[in-house]
């Protein structure tokens, strides 16, 4: 059974840090392009960062230099380290798996999704 379960969200002050974790089951995450997306209230879902099977990483311009995506093969997880958080980073954060051979932050490529974890920065 393929499943993605996010955790690590919460409330933090501006400038603080959080680490989100996405534990996967039913498949090996390192064989897929995995990504984090976010969706602020009333807005569209947007890509934050992606990591390919070769560990190549891509980031949205808004988070470059502040966020880092990584894979932990032992835990079968995809983590998102978020530093220097800003109020505009507040959103529901989702982990997702791509069905495309290319690892890009294209929403339509991602067909398996977790339930999300809320991040609030104030």
């Amino acid at each position: 059974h393929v499943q993605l379960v996010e955790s690590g969200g919460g409330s933090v002050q501006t400038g603080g840090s959080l680490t989100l974790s996405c534990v996967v089951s039913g498949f090996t995450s390192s064989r897929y392009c995995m990504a984090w997306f976010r969706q602020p209230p009333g807005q569209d879902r947007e890509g934050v960062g992606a990591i390919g099977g070769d560990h190549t990483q891509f980031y949205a311009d808004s988070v470059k230099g502040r966020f880092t995506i990584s894979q932990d093969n032992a835990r079968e997880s995809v983590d998102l380290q978020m530093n220097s958080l800003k109020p505009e980073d507040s959103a529901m954060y989702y982990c997702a798996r791509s069905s495309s051979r290319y690892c890009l932050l294209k929403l339509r490529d991602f067909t398996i999704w977790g339930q999300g974890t809320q991040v609030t920065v104030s």
Side-chain angles (χ1 to χ4, degrees), residues 3-6 22-24 27 34 95-97 112-115:
Q3 192 173 18
L4 310 177
V5 179
E6 302 97 333
C22 171
V23 176
V24 313
F27 68 100
M34 301 293 298
C95 177
R97 189 188 87 174
I112 306 293
W113 293 85
Q115 293 300 307

Side-chain angles (χ1 to χ4, degrees), residues 17-63:
S17 299
L18 281 175
T19 300
L20 306 184
S21 182
C22 171
V23 176
V24 313
S25 57
F27 68 100
T28 301
S29 61
S30 59
R31 295 181 180 178
Y32 293 85
C33 173
M34 301 293 298
W36 284 92
F37 286 78
R38 67 186 181 187
Q39 187 168 18
Q43 299 185 39
D44 293 334
R45 195 168 296 189
E46 63 177 5
V48 174
I51 185 167
D54 60 356
H55 297 286
T56 301
Q57 299 163 36
F58 302 90
Y59 296 96
D61 288 343
S62 59
V63 306

Side-chain angles (χ1 to χ4, degrees), residues 4-122:
L4 310 177
V5 179
E6 302 97 333
S7 63
S11 297
V12 65
Q13 292 186 335
T14 299
S17 299
L18 281 175
T19 300
L20 306 184
S21 182
C22 171
V23 176
V24 313
S25 57
F27 68 100
T28 301
S29 61
S30 59
R31 295 181 180 178
Y32 293 85
C33 173
M34 301 293 298
W36 284 92
F37 286 78
R38 67 186 181 187
Q39 187 168 18
Q43 299 185 39
D44 293 334
R45 195 168 296 189
E46 63 177 5
V48 174
I51 185 167
D54 60 356
H55 297 286
T56 301
Q57 299 163 36
F58 302 90
Y59 296 96
D61 288 343
S62 59
V63 306
K64 281 181 181 176
R66 299 188 299 121
F67 291 11
T68 303
I69 190 170
S70 62
Q71 283 186 319
D72 185 328
N73 293 334
R75 292 172 48 235
E76 275 295 353
S77 69
V78 180
D79 300 330
L80 184 68
Q81 173 67 44
M82 306 185 295
N83 298 323
S84 302
L85 283 162
K86 306 174 182 180
E88 52 263 43
D89 294 318
S90 297
M92 184 70 80
Y93 282 71
Y94 298 91
C95 177
R97 189 188 87 174
S98 176
S99 61
S100 172
R101 62 182 293 183
Y102 302 105
C103 193
L104 298 171
L105 279 172
K106 291 183 177 181
L107 184 63
R108 65 185 181 188
D109 288 348
F110 291 83
T111 54
I112 306 293
W113 293 85
Q115 293 300 307
T117 185
Q118 179 68 42
V119 172
T120 303
V121 185
S122 59

